[in-house]
Amino acid sequence: MAHLVPIALAAALAGVMDLFLVRAAWLHWTGSDRAPDISYGYSWNPSVVRGHERGIVALAASVVCLTVGVAAATAAKDVAGIALVHVSAIFTLGSLPWTALHLTIAWFNWPKALVPPHRRGESGSVTEWWRQRAAPDKGRGRDGR
């Protein structure tokens, strides 16, 4: 029975994180002013942060699928049921396409159907980076002076 305490705590933490992400996705989708600004730790570039906020719907779906898959795998360990193993595999592997969709939305703002309606006109972070890189440096010569 004591071995269930860490599992229960991890499940509660994952559930709270899932609820936060689903709520944030809903608020971003509806264009609410109460939508949380989610800053990801690896970049302070505003276009990258905007990209991940655009893709929060796919990110929330990915995290929920992963949570259900891990919960089913944990339950399947204690119960001899092949159906739970299949459910676990389906949800765990199902989180991968959602993660890929999140990245394509963040980087390229595509597919538009999963982008919040008020943010569909924005360009992706890779597209913005490419435009800045390709813009000619006006004021400098070829040698950088």
Side-chain angles (χ1 to χ4, degrees), residues 14-62:
V16 168
M17 187 174 80
D18 288 350
L19 288 175
F20 172 78
L21 278 174
V22 169
R23 179 183 175 271
W26 175 259
L27 291 175
H28 277 284
W29 187 268
T30 59
S32 175
D33 292 336
R34 297 180 309 156
D37 293 330
I38 298 173
S39 59
Y40 295 88
Y42 71 89
S43 179
W44 293 106
N45 186 347
S47 69
V48 172
V49 172
R50 282 192 313 270
H52 286 297
E53 286 178 352
R54 275 192 310 268
I56 195 165
V57 172
L59 179 66
S62 172

Side-chain angles (χ1 to χ4, degrees), residues 63-85:
V63 172
V64 168
C65 281
L66 190 60
T67 302
V68 170
V70 170
T74 305
K77 182 178 74 169
D78 295 335
V79 178
I82 194 71
L84 282 176
V85 173

Side-chain angles (χ1 to χ4, degrees), residues 136-145:
D137 235 353
K138 297 180 178 180
R140 292 187 182 182
R142 281 189 176 260
D143 58 355
R145 294 185 217 165

